Amino acid sequence: MRGLELFLSLMLAAHTACAGWLHEDADIMGTRITVELFHDDTAVARQGVDAVMAEMRRIDSDMSPWIETSELARLNRDAATRPVIVSDELFKLIRTSLHFSDLTHGAFDITFASVGFLYDYRKGVRPDDRQRQQATELINYHNLLLDEDSHSIAYGKPGVRIDLGGIAKGHAVDRCIALLQAIGIKQALVTAGGDSRMIGDRWGGRPWNIGVRDPRDEKKLVAVIPLENVAVSTSGDYQRYFEENGVRYHHIINPTSGDSARGMHSATIIGPDATTTDALSTSVFVLGVEQGLALVNRLPDIDAILVDAKGQLHYSDGLLPAKNPANNVKPPAPHPQP
Ligand code: AMP
Ligand code: MG
């Protein structure tokens, strides 16, 4: 179970019992998608839920590196030999990814996939040291050459690959929220794995409660945050991993080593949109506690809750009571009340 899902699923009873609220789950993009929303016209609410699921499926079929016919797979196949013209949406998302690479001095880098494809976490497969070092030389976002006029992308070296797994779910959540707003829905929560965004408040005028799970115990929460009109993403070393000789190999890769980043157990980011929180949760996980908090504290409207490699909690300045008396973080409730 991923970062926020446990707690979110505990919150459903009240919504589904209330007319006009709809809730649905589906497995898309290799993850659990959840949508909860309200409209007093049930037909519009239904239309909203269906639009979210259809949009998630569309983005998966365009951006999955594992679907051979996806735009992204085509890019990985052809862009090292010639520039490939891509859709507006993919071009902009790759440009946004490069923005986060610049912001994080390369901690966020979609070319991590040049080594990432050598791992299979389900089967416990990883590259040996020589393979990893060779492939790591290809990780460098400067190897992606974007042409703004033609909207084409070329790879500077053969062997370079990209994967949008660190940002595409957040992008999908933002797209879905925009679709819901366009049909007049004002209260909704959309979640794709560890990435969520909420608009409006919950039934009864209360905020949405978001729980950060204990990275080493999926039944426990380490913090509960009441939120409205924000996005929140969690990256964790418990989402996709295997262990070998006591070492955990997981899906968040440090671009300088090609190995899993091991500075913390989870990074939760709160911010205005899910594309940003998704990219930053992956980035801050790679940066580690000190550099990660320094980055978050520099950025307006961004907060963080980190669980370090010893299980200790760290908050960004905006969530510390001493620096911000209006902070919202509460200790976890043993049985969250709807
Ligand atoms: P998240 O759960 O949002 O942190 O996303 C994890 C996913 O991001 C992984 O499964 C990879 O697809 C991708 N990823 C891993 N390492 C990096 C990195 N250093 N920069 C960008 N994306 C990454
Ligand atoms: Mg992410």
Side-chain angles (χ1 to χ4, degrees):
M1 181 155 305
R2 289 171 206 278
L4 306 168
E5 284 171 33
L6 168 69
F7 189 76
L8 293 174
S9 60
L10 293 172
M11 305 300 300
L12 299 179
H15 301 170
T16 44
C18 177
W21 278 99
L22 286 185
H23 159 250
E24 206 160 293
D25 294 316
D27 289 321
I28 309 170
M29 297 182 149
T31 197
R32 174 52 61 99
I33 306 296
T34 299
V35 53
E36 270 184 79
L37 53 78
F38 174 83
H39 196 282
D40 48 17
D41 180 342
T42 314
V44 176
R46 183 72 251 160
Q47 188 193 342
V49 170
D50 291 346
V52 166
M53 296 309 181
E55 183 68 352
M56 292 289 182
R57 288 198 180 87
R58 183 191 68 75
I59 292 175
D60 190 34
S61 69
D62 286 349
M63 298 193 186
S64 166
W66 309 115
I67 298 176
E68 269 183 38
T69 50
S70 76
E71 226 190 337
L72 191 114
R74 190 163 56 86
L75 201 52
N76 277 341
R77 246 188 335 264
D78 298 340
T81 43
R82 59 180 170 78
V84 175
I85 296 172
V86 297
S87 65
D88 233 37
E89 183 184 15
L90 184 59
F91 191 85
K92 284 184 183 151
L93 191 58
I94 291 174
R95 194 169 54 198
T96 303
S97 299
L98 299 186
H99 159 74
F100 284 106
S101 298
D102 279 334
L103 186 71
T104 63
H105 303 294
F108 188 86
D109 190 331
I110 57 176
T111 68
F112 87 90
S114 312
V115 67
F117 87 101
L118 296 170
Y119 291 86
D120 185 331
Y121 301 100
R122 240 173 260 158
K123 294 189 179 145
V125 173
R126 66 182 178 90
D128 64 31
D129 287 351
R130 201 182 53 86
Q131 287 171 318
R132 178 172 51 79
Q133 280 155 13
Q134 273 179 2
T136 301
E137 283 170 24
L138 299 167
I139 303 179
N140 185 341
Y141 62 100
H142 293 112
N143 283 330
L144 303 179
L145 312 168
L146 275 60
D147 185 85
E148 294 285 337
D149 295 329
S150 61
H151 267 198
S152 69
I153 297 179
Y155 295 174
K157 283 185 184 168
V160 171
R161 296 181 189 218
I162 64 166
D163 183 329
L164 295 169
I167 192 169
K169 292 195 293 294
H171 166 72
V173 166
D174 285 338
R175 291 281 304 211
C176 290
I177 290 288
L179 288 176
L180 295 178
Q181 287 172 321
I183 60 169
I185 288 172
K186 297 189 173 66
Q187 289 167 282
L189 165 73
V190 177
T191 297
D195 305 294
S196 297
R197 182 165 164 190
M198 49 229 92
I199 50 170
D201 49 21
R202 282 172 58 224
W203 173 70
R206 282 170 295 176
W208 303 90
N209 281 307
I210 296 294
V212 178
R213 68 155 264 197
D214 182 331
R216 289 296 177 268
D217 184 347
E218 68 177 53
K219 294 190 187 72
K220 281 197 200 147
L221 299 173
V222 293
V224 177
I225 328 157
L227 295 170
E228 277 174 36
N229 292 314
V230 288
V232 54
S233 293
T234 296
S235 294
D237 66 358
Y238 51 84
Q239 288 163 335
R240 219 171 298 153
Y241 72 94
F242 65 90
E243 280 181 0
E244 202 184 295
N245 301 326
V247 179
R248 185 175 287 230
Y249 295 91
H250 66 84
H251 67 147
I252 302 173
I253 300 289
N254 183 337
T256 54
S257 65
D259 193 3
S260 304
R262 297 211 174 79
M264 64 176 92
H265 288 168
S266 79
T268 297
I269 302 288
I270 303 163
D273 66 85
T275 309
T276 300
T277 57
D278 190 3
L280 285 179
S281 68
T282 310
S283 309
V284 167
F285 193 103
V286 172
L287 286 170
V289 174
E290 201 179 316
Q291 287 185 53
L293 280 180
L295 171 67
V296 167
N297 287 332
R298 261 201 323 272
L299 298 173
D301 300 328
I302 303 291
D303 272 300
I305 302 171
L306 312 181
V307 181
D308 70 19
K310 292 184 181 141
Q312 296 292 314
L313 275 166
H314 302 262
Y315 296 100
S316 60
D317 287 353
L319 297 175
L320 288 174
K323 300 206 177 170
N324 181 6
N327 93 82
N328 275 330
V329 181
K330 291 177 186 165
H335 296 291
Q337 299 299 309

